[in-house]
């Protein structure tokens, strides 16, 4: 069993929901990212999505665009990010998903990427612009390497297409809760409840909800409706505001702890009734 | 030539495809189905032909450039006069087609990206014609460089949305248009201006533009009783070139050359020659040749002609390059500017700086060809918009 599956199994046993946090690797720099991840883990993050910066992030809103630009200016590359993850793996067992766009991977070489990502301790990948129709050129290497291929489902995905996508999904399902780019709109709970319920009927995989959850209150509203929530832009904005300042790590950890608390309060779990 | 390309997912060999976020995939599939139905529909074809003729002013002349031919002393040169279309370039062929399709699909709003502003103006024009709401995304740098076209779009009732991200040019405008489309996909049609983007855009834009080549073929057969030996067209994304080339692909005796912008020179890094100097990559929904660094980050393109200022190229061109069916070369800013002046003075035709790249290559290659040979240059647009750029360079003394 991989780290992602283990984490969801443990959470399920406890009746708790997953807190997935996204951050852009290399913002403000890779040393900071390497310190941020264990701090987030200690604050209660279950799974971390490490964003690989790309020059043209067409699915991202202004916050993650700006973070990607900062990271690129500071010299972040896929190679260096994988090296950072290797280093991190000496001390951390947190499930790691690499989140990004296809071109940096294509440039690195899909076969070499699969081997290096698995060796460095990456558990899953989420490639925004690689829909199922195009995914085989990467999955033929990453599937055998044991990397989960996390799949996106959007509000615009009809049930027939969703069923087709879910047949080949692994790891968990990432439900995009708003028709838009990251961090620019707020999901409507009734829609999320309906859509996630429909997805759960189609797959045994955990379903997490993301794109637009930025406050503890929103996390508390959405978490009970799914197996977990993703908080991305809000954390990235905080990291951007703090930059290289001394309170970056404590501020990020305290924000994560608030989200964790809100999720746990909304879904107290089996042990705390 | 076998017509097995593209496959049903829009792949030309390894190029093309549909590398798009899931939110857009249903819209792309819907668009593909709507387009396939439309292109089999006699009424749609009739309506498109009507507007091309009555509104855009087609057909455009295939003009024998006698003085230029004489001056170069080689092959006989014909100019396909796309500059004589309404709005001043070939872009209107495509925007009329896409806006008609949008209307057929029941969409009331259109968005577009633009670099030089030619596609933006052509989209705003078609939107005004059919009473649609239109937003055009344009980089702030291009807005500054192309103030005249910005104002034309506003006169036509379009909203011009400035894009400050990245280098604030065409690539960033396209990023922002894609983001806007993700957000409004349910009621909005995205009018892409070139033969790039996710499937079905590359074939759709090609089909709408191929009126250029179909007319040219008919015209040259009438004038000369035979097919040309060489076609020359400039390449940014590649829509005017593919529009001319496509109807000739099966004619093995017709050579074709696409002319990219070498900018300040291929070794300077300041150019837009994706095929000549790029590597295979994925951007804006398709796999193609791309200007990028060693880590897969897309580089900014540079060209004196804003319409060529794009780091990618249509996937069908990438494929035509790899199969050897078409040849791709690059000419510099300086060569294009010289050709701009030469054509203006030899024929009384001021070409767009984009089209001047094609003329510049012709000036190099035509003298090496026999007088019995025939060359067609696609004159994709008119050069009024470039007067200021030429004046700034001091090429023509005021």
């Amino acid at each position: 069993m991989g780290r992602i599956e283990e984490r969801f199994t443990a959470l399920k046993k406890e009746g708790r929901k997953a807190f997935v946090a996204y951050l852009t690797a290399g913002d403000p720099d890779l040393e900071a990212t390497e310190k941020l991840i264990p701090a987030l883990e200690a604050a209660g993050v279950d799974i971390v999505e490490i964003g690989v910066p790309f020059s043209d992030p067409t699915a991202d809103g202004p916050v993650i665009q700006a973070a990607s630009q900062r990271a690129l200016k500071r010299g972040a590359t896929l190679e260096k990010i994988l090296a950072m993850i290797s280093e991190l793996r000496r001390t951390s067992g947190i499930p790691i998903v690499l989140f990004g766009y296809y071109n940096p991977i294509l440039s690195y070489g899909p076969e070499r990427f699969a081997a290096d990502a698995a060796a460095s301790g990456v558990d899953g990948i989420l490639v925004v612009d690689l829909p199922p129709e195009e995914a085989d050129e990467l999955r033929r290497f990453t599937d055998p390497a044991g990397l989960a291929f996390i799949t996106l489902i959007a509000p615009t995905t009809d049930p027939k297409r969703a069923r087709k996508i879910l047949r080949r999904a692994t790891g968990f399902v990432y439900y995009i809760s708003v028709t838009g780019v990251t961090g620019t709109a707020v999901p409507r709970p009734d829609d999320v409840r309906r859509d996630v319920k429909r997805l759960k009927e189609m797959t045994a995989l955990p379903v997490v909800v993301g794109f637009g959850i930025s406050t503890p209150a929103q996390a508390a509203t959405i978490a009970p409706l799914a197996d977990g929530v993703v908080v991305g832009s809000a954390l990235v904005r905080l990291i951007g505001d703090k930059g290289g300042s001394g309170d970056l790590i404590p501020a990020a950890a305290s924000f994560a702890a608030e989200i964790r608390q809100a999720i746990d309060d909304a879904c107290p779990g089996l042990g705390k009734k | 030539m076998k017509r097995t390309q593209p496959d049903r997912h829009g792949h030309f060999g390894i190029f093309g495809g549909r590398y798009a976020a899931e939110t857009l995939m249903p819209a792309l599939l819907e668009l593909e189905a709507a387009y396939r139905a439309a292109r089999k529909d006699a009424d749609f074809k009739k309506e498109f032909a009507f507007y091309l003729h009555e509104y855009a002013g087609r057909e455009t002349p295939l003009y024998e450039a006698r003085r230029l031919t004489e001056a170069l002393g080689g092959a006989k040169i014909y100019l396909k006069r796309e500059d004589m279309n309404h709005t001043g370039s070939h872009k209107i062929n495509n925007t009329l087609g896409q806006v008609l399709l949008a209307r057929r699909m029941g969409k009331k709003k259109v968005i577009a990206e633009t670099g030089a502003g030619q596609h933006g103006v052509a989209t705003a024009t078609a939107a005004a014609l059919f009473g649609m709401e239109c937003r055009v995304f344009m980089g702030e740098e291009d807005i500054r460089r192309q103030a005249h076209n910005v104002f034309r779009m506003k006169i036509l009732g379009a909203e011009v949305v400035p894009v400050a991200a990245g280098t604030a040019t065409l690539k960033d405008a396209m990023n922002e248009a894609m983001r806007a489309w993700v957000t409004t996909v349910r009621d909005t049609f995205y009018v892409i201006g070139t033969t790039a983007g996710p499937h079905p855009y590359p074939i759709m834009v090609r089909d709408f533009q191929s009126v250029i080549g179909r007319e040219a073929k008919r015209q040259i057969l009438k004038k000369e009783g035979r097919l040309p030996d060489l076609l020359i067209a400039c390449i940014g994304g590649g829509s005017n070139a593919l529009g001319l080339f496509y109807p000739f692909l099966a004619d093995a005796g017709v050579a074709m050359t696409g002319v990219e912008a070498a900018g300040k020179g291929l070794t300077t890094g300041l150019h837009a020659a994706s095929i000549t100097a790029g590597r295979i990559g994925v951007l804006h929904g398709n796999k193609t040749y791309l200007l990028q660094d060693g880590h897969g980050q897309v580089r900014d393109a540079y060209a004196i002609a804003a319409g060529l200022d794009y780091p990618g190229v249509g996937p069908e061109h990438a494929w035509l390059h790899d199969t050897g069916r078409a040849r791709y070369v690059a000419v510099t800013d300086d060569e294009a500017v010289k050709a701009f002046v030469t054509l203006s003075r030899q024929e009384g035709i001021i070409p767009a700086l984009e089209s001047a790249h094609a003329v510049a290559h012709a000036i190099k290659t035509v003298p090496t060809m026999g007088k019995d040979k025939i060359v067609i240059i696609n004159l994709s647009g008119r050069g009024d918009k470039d007067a200021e750029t030429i004046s700034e360079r001091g090429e023509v003394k005021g």
Side-chain angles (χ1 to χ4, degrees), chain A residues 186-257:
Chain A
V186 176
R188 287 205 293 261
D190 288 346
D191 295 357
V192 172
R193 181 181 294 115
R194 182 198 60 214
D195 293 346
V196 171
K197 185 163 172 275
R198 206 168 55 192
L199 291 176
K200 297 287 285 180
E201 285 162 7
M202 297 179 195
T203 179
L205 291 174
V207 177
V208 307
V209 176
F211 272 51
I213 300 166
S214 58
T215 65
Q218 284 163 357
T221 309
I222 301 297
L225 312 177
D227 298 305
V229 294
V230 188
V231 176
S233 297
L235 178 62
V236 173
R237 179 182 288 121
L238 183 149
I239 294 171
D241 289 347
K242 296 291 172 191
S245 74
D247 64 340
L248 168 66
I249 309 282
S254 118
F255 175 71

Side-chain angles (χ1 to χ4, degrees), chain A residues 52-61 65 69 72 76-79 102-104 106-108 128-134 137 152-158 161 165 176 178-181 184 211, chain B residues 9 11 16-27 29 165-166 171-172 174-176 178-186 279-284 287 290 292-299:
Chain A
V52 179
F54 179 47
S55 51
D56 297 83
T58 49
D60 284 300
Q65 287 173 45
Q69 284 299 320
L72 290 174
T77 63
L78 185 49
E79 210 150 16
Y102 187 44
N103 202 52
L106 182 60
S107 175
Y108 192 92
V128 184
D129 54 354
L130 206 57
E133 285 84 348
E134 307 290 353
E137 66 178 85
L152 295 168
I153 300 277
T156 48
T157 312
D158 66 41
R161 178 171 172 84
I165 292 173
I176 301 171
V178 295
T179 307
V181 293
T184 50
F211 272 51
Chain B
H9 293 299
H11 297 106
R18 200 154 23 196
Y19 295 83
E22 178 57 24
T23 310
L24 291 181
M25 285 301 292
L29 295 166
K171 157 176 99 86
D172 309 289
M174 194 151 175
N175 290 341
E176 207 55 33
M178 289 186 88
R179 291 183 191 113
W181 197 35
V182 167
T183 310
T184 58
V185 62
R186 292 180 204 265
R279 278 195 301 131
I280 293 169
V282 168
L283 179 71
H284 295 151
K287 189 184 278 179
L290 208 55
Q292 54 183 316
D293 71 11
H295 303 286
Q297 306 298 340
V298 182
R299 279 210 174 121

Side-chain angles (χ1 to χ4, degrees), chain A residues 19-220:
Chain A
F19 172 16
V20 182
Y22 169 96
L23 78 176
T24 301
D27 176 36
D29 52 44
L30 278 169
E31 293 72 37
T33 308
E34 196 181 333
K35 286 182 199 139
L36 275 163
I37 292 168
L40 293 171
E41 186 180 10
V45 168
D46 292 304
I47 296 172
V48 64
E49 287 180 352
I50 300 181
V52 179
F54 179 47
S55 51
D56 297 83
T58 49
D60 284 300
V63 172
I64 295 178
Q65 287 173 45
S68 305
Q69 284 299 320
R70 288 193 298 267
L72 290 174
K73 274 206 184 104
R74 296 300 297 265
T77 63
L78 185 49
E79 210 150 16
K80 290 182 193 165
I81 292 165
L82 292 178
M84 183 270 291
I85 293 169
S86 287
E87 203 52 42
L88 191 70
R89 270 286 171 252
R90 293 161 177 261
T91 53
S92 172
I94 192 169
I96 291 175
V97 173
L98 266 193
F99 187 112
Y101 295 79
Y102 187 44
N103 202 52
I105 296 175
L106 182 60
S107 175
Y108 192 92
E111 188 168 10
R112 178 176 159 233
F113 166 76
D116 291 358
S120 70
V122 170
D123 302 295
I125 56 171
L126 199 168
V127 189
V128 184
D129 54 354
L130 206 57
E133 285 84 348
E134 307 290 353
D136 279 345
E137 66 178 85
L138 181 59
R139 289 191 70 168
R140 54 191 281 244
F141 302 114
T142 55
D143 283 2
L147 296 169
F149 193 82
I150 316 292
T151 314
L152 295 168
I153 300 277
T156 48
T157 312
D158 66 41
K160 191 177 155 210
R161 178 171 172 84
R163 204 164 283 125
K164 197 174 113 193
I165 292 173
L166 291 171
R167 265 204 291 274
R168 294 207 55 209
T170 54
F172 59 89
V173 177
Y174 188 130
Y175 179 67
I176 301 171
S177 57
V178 295
T179 307
V181 293
T182 53
T184 50
V186 176
R188 287 205 293 261
D190 288 346
D191 295 357
V192 172
R193 181 181 294 115
R194 182 198 60 214
D195 293 346
V196 171
K197 185 163 172 275
R198 206 168 55 192
L199 291 176
K200 297 287 285 180
E201 285 162 7
M202 297 179 195
T203 179
L205 291 174
V207 177
V208 307
V209 176
F211 272 51
I213 300 166
S214 58
T215 65
Q218 284 163 357

Side-chain angles (χ1 to χ4, degrees), chain B residues 28-352:
Chain B
L28 292 169
L29 295 166
E30 180 200 0
L31 174 62
E32 187 192 356
Y35 175 59
R36 285 194 190 287
R39 85 165 164 182
K40 281 190 212 131
D41 180 355
D43 288 343
F44 180 82
K45 283 196 274 196
K46 216 169 116 189
E47 194 179 25
F48 182 43
F50 171 84
Y51 283 102
L52 285 178
H53 179 64
E54 298 288 324
Y55 185 75
R58 303 200 72 92
E59 64 180 32
T60 60
L62 183 71
Y63 167 75
E64 186 189 337
R66 292 206 178 122
R67 291 196 66 221
L68 186 64
T69 301
E70 254 171 53
L72 296 178
K76 187 191 276 189
I77 299 167
Y78 282 91
L79 303 175
K80 181 59 176 162
R81 297 288 309 273
E82 291 301 298
D83 59 317
M84 290 185 64
N85 281 313
H86 178 44
T87 75
S89 81
H90 71 293
K91 292 291 184 188
I92 192 77
N93 302 330
N94 170 47
T95 61
L96 282 173
Q98 287 198 47
V99 171
L100 281 170
L101 182 62
R103 200 170 62 142
R104 191 184 146 101
M105 291 171 73
K107 310 275 182 186
K108 302 267 192 290
K109 300 176 185 174
V110 297
I111 56 171
E113 82 293 334
T114 198
Q118 295 302 98
H119 173 59
V121 167
T123 305
T125 299
L129 174 63
F130 295 109
M132 288 198 186
E133 198 180 309
C134 176
R135 274 193 303 158
V136 180
F137 294 84
M138 189 167 184
E140 280 183 349
E141 177 60 22
D142 287 336
I143 287 180
R144 194 188 60 73
R145 288 194 291 188
Q146 307 287 336
H148 177 70
N149 273 343
V150 173
F151 198 64
R152 283 170 83 195
M153 287 185 266
K154 289 183 178 168
I155 291 171
L156 291 160
E159 182 194 348
V160 179
V161 184
V163 177
T167 48
T169 58
L170 177 57
K171 157 176 99 86
D172 309 289
M174 194 151 175
N175 290 341
E176 207 55 33
M178 289 186 88
R179 291 183 191 113
W181 197 35
V182 167
T183 310
T184 58
V185 62
R186 292 180 204 265
D187 67 351
T188 299
F189 188 103
Y190 180 15
V191 181
I192 292 184
T194 191
T195 50
H199 180 64
Y201 282 101
I203 60 162
M204 186 166 72
V205 177
R206 173 198 73 197
D207 292 350
F208 290 145
Q209 290 293 2
S210 63
V211 64
I212 302 171
R214 285 197 309 274
E215 279 180 12
K217 197 171 193 175
R218 199 166 58 229
Q219 290 165 318
I220 199 75
L221 286 174
K222 198 167 166 206
K223 287 175 197 284
E224 296 284 348
R226 71 175 188 89
L227 292 172
D229 299 286
L230 175 64
L231 308 173
I232 304 176
C234 66
I235 308 258
S239 72
N240 88 79
L242 208 50
L244 177 64
F245 294 176
Y246 187 67
F248 291 95
L249 284 181
D251 302 308
V254 181
M256 31 194 87
T257 300
V259 186
E260 299 190 301
K264 294 185 191 293
L266 292 178
T267 54
T268 64
L270 293 170
H271 61 79
S274 322
I275 294 181
T276 314
R279 278 195 301 131
I280 293 169
V282 168
L283 179 71
H284 295 151
N286 66 105
K287 189 184 278 179
T288 187
Y289 285 101
L290 208 55
L291 302 179
Q292 54 183 316
D293 71 11
H295 303 286
Q297 306 298 340
V298 182
R299 279 210 174 121
D300 298 313
Y302 162 81
I304 190 169
L308 303 183
D309 204 343
Y310 183 65
V313 63
E316 192 161 0
H317 283 297
W319 181 68
L320 292 173
H321 167 75
D322 275 20
T323 58
R325 177 64 188 92
R327 196 175 147 240
Y328 295 84
V329 298
V331 310
T332 63
D333 286 358
D334 290 346
E335 291 169 321
V337 168
K338 282 206 182 75
F340 178 98
V341 177
T342 300
L343 187 68
S344 299
R345 300 202 168 164
Q346 291 290 339
E347 298 290 347
I349 296 169
I350 303 176

